[in-house]
Structures are given as structure tokens and as C-alpha cells.
Amino acid sequence: MFTRIRDLEDGRGARLRVSMSAHPSGAKITLERRDQPHRPSAQLGLHGVEILNGFLMSARLSAPYPMPDEEAECPFPARFRLECAAQARVVIEQEDRFPLAIDAPLWDRLYAELCLVVAHGRALAHRDTYDPVRSLH
């Protein structure tokens, strides 16, 4: 069973845990705000993580100006939106969860971490279909 956990923190004390585990769809990635009492979280599949990564980069280039929301579907549907009020933040909304807000100071670290997560997730997704003998031909 593959699991991977990384804790990200910014200079103001915001803490975001990024955990990854094997899932029938390839991988399940959980983001959790460990610095907030109610610990909001989001669960994403590889498609959701790739959409979030692109959205983080777009938000970085767009803020403080708004941009359209994005959505990811199966296996863990989510909506991503940029809030540009007092401080820019990306909000992940899922039907059965409290919204997860990620403030701008964490975006770059999260982007880098999610690049690694995607690589590990792709390897997990293809682990059962990889045949080393067949790949030599």
C-alpha cells in the first residue's frame, strides 16, 4: 500500500497537509488545513490535482483580478474558484465537504508538491498494467 504525506507551511503559520494513497482510480489525494479548528479538507483524483495545479498557476497570474471557475469530475468532483477580496485565495468546493481555502502564500509550495504527487500518481495508476518483459520488445 502506497502512502505519502507532506506538510506545507507558510511564514504566517498556515499549514496544509498533502497526503496521497492508492485508489482504484489510481490515486486519492487529500488536502487538509491543519491550522484551522474544523480542519477543512478536499479529496481529489489525479485529474482534479492536475486541474488544481493549472488553476493555481492561472490564479497566480490573474490575482488580484477575477478569473472563471474550473471544475473537475470523477472520481472526486470539485469546483475551484479564485477569491480576490482582502487576500487572494483559491477555494476548493466539494458537495459533501466544507470549502477548503488556500491563501496565496501557499500557492507556489503547493504547486511544486502537486507536481511530485502527479508523477507518483501516474506511476500508481499504471503499476498494475506495467509489464517489464513486454516493455523490452
Side-chain angles (χ1 to χ4, degrees), residues 8-54:
L8 308 178
E9 190 171 335
D10 71 10
R12 300 171 307 132
R15 291 190 322 249
L16 179 68
R17 174 165 282 181
V18 180
S19 58
M20 174 184 186
S21 58
H23 185 271
S25 69
K28 177 175 75 171
I29 297 87
T30 303
L31 307 175
E32 180 186 17
R33 285 295 302 262
R34 302 194 41 93
D35 58 323
Q36 296 179 348
H38 56 289
R39 292 192 175 187
S41 65
Q43 290 185 338
L44 302 169
L46 288 176
H47 176 250
V49 166
E50 289 180 309
I51 296 294
L52 175 57
N53 239 14

Side-chain angles (χ1 to χ4, degrees), residues 120-132:
H120 286 297
R122 285 189 182 143
L124 279 175
H126 297 294
R127 182 188 312 183
D128 295 332
T129 60
Y130 176 68
D131 179 353

Side-chain angles (χ1 to χ4, degrees), residues 25-129:
S25 69
K28 177 175 75 171
I29 297 87
T30 303
L31 307 175
E32 180 186 17
R33 285 295 302 262
R34 302 194 41 93
D35 58 323
Q36 296 179 348
H38 56 289
R39 292 192 175 187
S41 65
Q43 290 185 338
L44 302 169
L46 288 176
H47 176 250
V49 166
E50 289 180 309
I51 296 294
L52 175 57
N53 239 14
F55 195 81
L56 287 169
M57 184 56 68
S58 293
R60 192 172 190 277
L61 297 170
S62 179
Y65 304 104
M67 59 183 256
D69 295 353
E70 286 288 340
E71 291 188 25
E73 294 301 324
C74 297
F76 307 101
R79 174 183 295 271
F80 307 98
R81 67 182 166 81
L82 174 62
E83 287 185 355
C84 295
Q87 180 180 15
R89 61 190 193 159
V90 167
V91 178
I92 304 171
E93 297 173 334
Q94 292 182 301
E95 190 172 296
D96 59 341
R97 296 177 174 276
F98 190 80
L100 172 67
I102 304 165
D103 297 330
L106 277 173
W107 292 353
D108 288 349
R109 294 196 65 204
L110 179 57
Y111 178 86
E113 179 61 27
L114 293 180
C115 286
L116 296 169
V117 165
V118 167
H120 286 297
R122 285 189 182 143
L124 279 175
H126 297 294
R127 182 188 312 183
D128 295 332
T129 60

